[in-house]
Amino acid sequence: MKNPLEITERTKVNRLSNRANYDREVIYQILDEAKICHISFIYEGKPVVIPTSYGRKDHLLYIHGALNSRMLVEMEKGIDISLSVTLIDGLVLARSAFHHSMNYRSVVIFDQARLLSDFEEKKEALRIITNHLVPARWEECREINRGEIEGTKVLTISIEEASAKIRTGGPKDAKPDYQLPIWAGVIPCKMQYGEFVEDSEQHQDAVTPESVKNFYL
Amino acid sequence: MKNPLEITERTKVNRLSNRANYDREVIYQILDEAKICHISFIYEGKPVVIPTSYGRKDHLLYIHGALNSRMLVEMEKGIDISLSVTLIDGLVLARSAFHHSMNYRSVVIFDQARLLSDFEEKKEALRIITNHLVPARWEECREINRGEIEGTKVLTISIEEASAKIRTGGPKDAKPDYQLPIWAGVIPCKMQYGEFVEDSEQHQDAVTPESVKNFYL
């Protein structure tokens, strides 16, 4: 582990700790591959979890939304949040139901979000979020205007109190079960990006952009 | 909407409420298609969100884990939880960065989980969770034994205070932007299940089971 995060009481993986990973680069890779996160916060004393898109640059995650988004209005108060990102890599079929599992890569982060107020910082965060969806897309878009930036709430979350948990490989059955003629194996999973569908109101001079072409490479 | 859930203060979708759906069957379909959920609960006064597998039968979700799982030990106390399941269906590229979006189907549920103690009820829940991974797999496995059932904690969550949120279709740009020769469209996404990988210690008499063959149909 070249660049590990400090392990805290909350990020210490208790169960199946051999699956734990605190390496910054490993955590970043998972965050960069996934498209959505689930954010948890306390609202009127009760937990709420909401999916949302995001972007990452260095040790910061950015999320955004409407000015009146309930989640963002709560989060800008600096309350505690927890954020998770999960990639499913395989369905693991063992000889026993008990040992069925999944291969996955997940990250859990704890922090308090901070509201961005600086105009240029917000603009840069929106670029990062847009380019997280499809790299280099921002640069092809109609330039964002002041009203759009002012009409969007942007918050940032630090990737500091964070851990990854990763399972790979085949099923692990109890030793006697290997003598049974029951099939065992893994069904690999990954997000598949299908052929793009052009907008029905496409401008006649619009051509397939580099960002979209490169997305499939 | 044939069989709607009652809308509560918490499940009422405030933002983009045209995307809200309270139909029981719609919610069930999303839960049945996804493989993992994210569960949020409060631990020592702070929110925690954790991914986990599950299964559904009728209006009940089942989750399971080790007896000493921190999440389950907390949740069996009957604390409030929030659970979310999200399927990503497309990356939506608009002419403006501002209108970039995703097509998705998500469900959010609020409840308190209940610990199952009845042996047969637990066994049935474990069958449902196993068959959520790959339908009809449970029936092919080595029969589960008493120690495995007693060594697993199973909780159930009601799908009552719940809502779905769904976005479909192409980008929606501001009217003047349709005059710009900027490409717009959707990159469809879905979970792809690749060709299975047999266990390296496969029994010589093991044959590809019906559950796995049917999984790809």
Side-chain angles (χ1 to χ4, degrees):
Chain A
M1 202 156 27
K2 277 174 285 183
N3 192 359
L5 291 170
E6 192 186 338
I7 301 171
T8 71
E9 186 61 34
R10 290 196 294 187
T11 61
K12 188 170 181 299
V13 174
N14 293 307
R15 283 281 312 151
L16 304 168
S17 56
N18 57 321
R19 298 182 186 172
N21 194 309
Y22 301 93
D23 188 275
R24 212 177 274 271
E25 292 308 319
V26 169
I27 289 168
Y28 290 173
Q29 277 168 26
I30 296 168
L31 294 171
D32 291 350
E33 184 174 332
K35 295 293 181 195
I36 59 152
C37 64
H38 283 82
I39 300 189
S40 163
F41 59 102
I42 301 175
Y43 181 70
E44 296 183 348
K46 298 188 174 187
V48 179
V49 58
I50 302 278
T52 193
S53 59
Y54 64 92
R56 180 190 74 84
K57 188 177 179 186
D58 301 330
H59 70 295
L60 293 177
L61 281 190
Y62 298 98
I63 60 168
H64 75 314
L67 297 182
N68 63 350
S69 150
R70 187 173 71 176
M71 177 171 78
L72 299 187
V73 166
E74 285 303 306
M75 282 177 56
E76 71 175 291
K77 297 173 186 170
I79 58 174
D80 288 297
I81 61 138
S82 177
L83 182 154
S84 180
V85 163
T86 306
L87 297 162
I88 306 178
D89 294 328
L91 311 181
V92 180
L93 281 63
R95 293 148 186 91
S96 61
F98 188 73
H99 284 289
H100 274 57
S101 186
M102 283 191 213
N103 286 333
Y104 62 88
R105 288 166 291 151
S106 68
V107 167
V108 173
I109 302 172
F110 299 94
D111 196 20
Q112 299 91 32
R114 287 165 304 287
L115 184 70
L116 293 190
S117 50
D118 180 78
F119 186 85
E120 290 302 326
E121 216 178 344
K122 278 179 77 173
K123 186 173 174 180
E124 173 64 4
L126 294 171
R127 187 184 71 79
I128 291 162
I129 294 168
T130 304
N131 284 348
H132 183 81
L133 205 66
V134 173
R137 177 59 181 165
W138 172 273
E139 289 72 15
E140 296 165 351
C141 291
R142 185 261 295 148
E143 202 179 344
I144 198 161
N145 62 46
R146 180 163 289 272
E148 290 172 333
I149 294 173
E150 289 173 351
T152 306
K153 194 164 277 188
V154 184
L155 286 89
T156 181
I157 293 156
S158 286
I159 309 161
E160 285 299 336
E161 191 171 356
S163 59
K165 203 168 173 182
I166 298 171
R167 188 200 190 280
T168 59
K172 301 273 173 253
D173 271 299
K175 204 156 186 193
D177 289 340
Y178 284 88
Q179 306 308 316
L180 300 170
I182 297 173
W183 189 94
V186 174
I187 297 175
C189 313
K190 75 171 185 192
M191 184 62 91
Q192 182 187 36
Y193 296 102
E195 201 180 332
F196 62 76
V197 178
E198 293 199 46
D199 189 22
S200 57
E201 298 181 58
Q202 197 75 285
H203 191 285
Q204 59 183 11
D205 297 336
V207 294
T208 312
E210 291 304 307
S211 69
V212 173
K213 285 188 209 162
N214 291 332
F215 189 78
Y216 293 100
L217 299 183
Chain B
M1 203 156 29
K2 277 175 285 185
N3 192 1
L5 291 170
E6 193 186 336
I7 302 171
T8 71
E9 186 61 34
R10 289 196 294 188
T11 62
K12 189 170 180 299
V13 173
N14 294 309
R15 282 282 312 152
L16 304 168
S17 57
N18 58 321
R19 297 183 185 172
N21 194 309
Y22 301 93
D23 188 276
R24 212 177 274 272
E25 292 307 320
V26 170
I27 289 168
Y28 289 175
Q29 278 167 27
I30 296 168
L31 295 172
D32 292 351
E33 186 174 332
K35 296 294 180 194
I36 59 151
C37 65
H38 283 82
I39 300 188
S40 163
F41 59 102
I42 302 175
Y43 182 70
E44 297 183 346
K46 297 187 174 188
V48 179
V49 58
I50 302 277
T52 192
S53 59
Y54 64 93
R56 181 191 73 84
K57 188 177 179 187
D58 302 330
H59 71 294
L60 293 178
L61 280 191
Y62 298 98
I63 60 167
H64 75 314
L67 298 182
N68 62 350
S69 149
R70 186 173 72 176
M71 177 172 77
L72 299 186
V73 166
E74 284 305 304
M75 282 177 56
E76 71 174 291
K77 297 173 185 169
I79 58 174
D80 288 298
I81 61 138
S82 176
L83 182 154
S84 180
V85 163
T86 306
L87 297 163
I88 306 178
D89 294 328
L91 311 181
V92 180
L93 281 63
R95 293 151 187 89
S96 61
F98 187 73
H99 284 289
H100 274 57
S101 185
M102 283 192 213
N103 286 334
Y104 62 89
R105 288 167 290 151
S106 67
V107 167
V108 173
I109 302 173
F110 298 94
D111 196 21
Q112 300 90 34
R114 287 165 303 287
L115 184 69
L116 293 189
S117 50
D118 181 79
F119 186 84
E120 289 302 326
E121 215 178 344
K122 278 179 77 173
K123 186 173 174 179
E124 173 63 4
L126 293 172
R127 186 183 72 79
I128 291 161
I129 294 167
T130 305
N131 284 348
H132 183 82
L133 204 66
V134 174
R137 177 61 183 165
W138 172 272
E139 289 71 16
E140 297 165 350
C141 293
R142 186 261 294 149
E143 202 180 343
I144 198 162
N145 62 44
R146 179 163 290 272
E148 289 171 335
I149 293 173
E150 289 174 350
T152 306
K153 195 164 277 188
V154 184
L155 286 91
T156 179
I157 293 155
S158 286
I159 308 160
E160 286 298 336
E161 190 170 356
S163 60
K165 203 168 173 182
I166 298 170
R167 188 200 190 281
T168 59
K172 301 273 174 254
D173 271 299
K175 204 158 184 191
D177 289 339
Y178 285 88
Q179 306 308 316
L180 301 171
I182 298 174
W183 189 93
V186 174
I187 297 176
C189 314
K190 74 172 185 189
M191 184 61 94
Q192 182 187 38
Y193 297 102
E195 201 180 332
F196 61 75
V197 179
E198 292 200 46
D199 189 21
S200 57
E201 299 182 58
Q202 196 75 285
H203 190 286
Q204 59 183 13
D205 296 337
V207 293
T208 312
E210 290 304 306
S211 70
V212 173
K213 286 189 209 162
N214 290 332
F215 188 78
Y216 293 101
L217 299 183

